[in-house]
Amino acid sequence: MSTAVAPHAGPVLREWRHRRRLSQLDVSTRTGVSTRHLSYVETGKSKPSRELLLHLAEELEMPQRAINDMLLAAGFAPVFSELDLSDEALAPVRDVIDLVLAGNDPHPTTVIDIRWDLIDANAAALWMTRGVAAEVLAPVPNVARVCLHPEGLAPRIRNLPAFASHLLRHMRQVLFATHDPQLAALIDECESYVPHGRSESAKIADVVLPLEVEVDGYELAFMSTVTAFGTSRDVTLSELSIETLYPADARTRTVLDERPWAA
């Protein structure tokens, strides 16, 4: 006969402590929890309170999805909701997204999740995908894949080596924060699209690395801003970000003002 082992949060805590490259002493010093108690929690010898787990999670900078998983492993209810964006409770959020997409016209604006999957976009952003192979856009467009795939925008990005290096570095930073396995697989995929030896960093003299790209016969240059929802208490919402591309030169500004996608 086998004996059922009660679930506990220890393995999740230990994994995130290792990911943050912290020793038990480091965590003890930062949180005021003794190393002995931490060891007992990680091995399951001690059952921590919900409050202690949340305290440790905050110090380890665990994402909301991981915190929910840890609480469930310990037998507690999740602290963060995880609603579908279509849920009625997120109607005000959808209104804000619609407002931002419309308000940023004619500047290309996309809403993405932590895996760079496209959630929504305005007409200017969709216009930039003209000429991208249909299979690259299916089943759900992924902004990173669209940018770096050889049948996507990559052949038309004039500063591809520097842009690819910047994008992949940003993706790795998100991976370090989230350790999302799907994002890790996407990074491996996108790295395979960048010819070996061509990836390079932006020059130190560059204040902002532009995206220099040809779209529909126009030579354009953009700089980007990224916005996230602050103080989110929902996993889905915490993983959304909104990126807007603004003209980096007068020529691009003129083209956008003419709104060629509406012709």
Side-chain angles (χ1 to χ4, degrees), residues 7 9 11-12 15 31 45 58 74 131 138 150 185-186 198 220 226 243 255 263:
V12 181
E15 182 178 5
T31 63
K45 293 180 179 179
E58 181 179 8
L186 176 67
R198 288 193 60 195
L220 307 173
V226 178
E243 180 173 17
V255 172

Side-chain angles (χ1 to χ4, degrees), residues 27-256:
V27 177
S28 174
T29 301
R30 297 182 182 190
T31 63
V33 180
S34 72
T35 55
R36 182 177 182 179
H37 191 39
L38 283 173
S39 177
Y40 280 12
V41 169
E42 288 189 359
T43 58
K45 293 180 179 179
S46 176
K47 180 175 174 59
S49 67
R50 185 170 182 269
E51 290 69 26
L52 176 59
L53 291 176
L54 292 175
H55 179 49
L56 294 172
E58 181 179 8
E59 185 58 45
L60 294 174
E61 298 180 358
M62 291 171 58
Q64 292 181 4
R65 185 179 298 278
I67 293 174
N68 277 355
D69 290 343
M70 177 183 65
L71 290 173
L72 286 170
F76 298 113
V79 69
F80 300 108
S81 64
E82 186 176 352
L83 302 175
D84 189 272
L85 198 55
S86 62
D87 193 285
E88 185 59 31
L90 293 185
V93 173
R94 296 196 303 274
D95 290 342
V96 170
I97 290 175
D98 291 343
L99 181 64
V100 171
L101 291 175
N104 280 338
D105 178 77
H107 307 119
T109 303
T110 55
V111 183
I112 62 174
D113 62 19
I114 60 167
R115 301 173 191 93
W116 267 259
D117 285 335
L118 184 68
I119 305 300
D120 207 346
N122 63 9
L126 296 176
W127 169 67
M128 293 186 65
T129 66
R130 284 191 184 179
V132 173
E135 56 267 27
V136 177
L137 298 173
V140 175
N142 180 278
V143 172
R145 182 180 294 115
V146 167
C147 286
L148 300 183
H149 195 283
E151 294 188 50
L153 290 177
R156 292 184 271 144
I157 296 178
R158 305 310 185 207
N159 59 337
L160 180 61
F163 176 78
S165 178
H166 169 79
L167 176 56
L168 288 168
R169 182 168 58 251
H170 180 39
M171 294 172 73
R172 292 187 199 101
Q173 289 171 347
V174 175
L175 179 61
F176 177 78
T178 64
H179 287 267
D180 182 88
Q182 294 181 51
L183 177 57
L186 176 67
I187 291 174
D188 288 342
E189 176 191 342
C190 288
E191 285 180 335
S192 73
Y193 299 143
V194 181
H196 181 69
R198 288 193 60 195
S199 181
E200 61 185 34
S201 299
K203 298 176 182 177
I204 295 177
D206 291 340
V207 177
V208 176
L209 174 67
L211 166 61
E212 299 171 354
V213 60
E214 181 268 318
V215 178
D216 217 11
Y218 298 98
E219 295 289 339
L220 307 173
F222 296 99
M223 51 187 172
S224 70
T225 63
V226 178
T227 304
F229 288 90
T231 62
S232 166
R233 300 289 295 175
D234 180 82
V235 173
T236 301
L237 192 54
S238 72
E239 295 180 345
L240 292 184
S241 60
I242 302 175
E243 180 173 17
T244 301
L245 300 179
Y246 291 100
D249 56 33
R251 178 177 56 187
T252 302
R253 186 177 302 108
T254 299
V255 172
L256 294 184

Side-chain angles (χ1 to χ4, degrees), residues 6-26:
H8 65 90
V12 181
L13 274 175
R14 182 170 56 251
E15 182 178 5
W16 279 93
R17 179 173 61 78
H18 289 165
R19 285 172 173 174
R20 297 305 184 226
R21 300 176 183 176
L22 296 171
S23 66
Q24 289 182 345
L25 180 59
D26 293 329

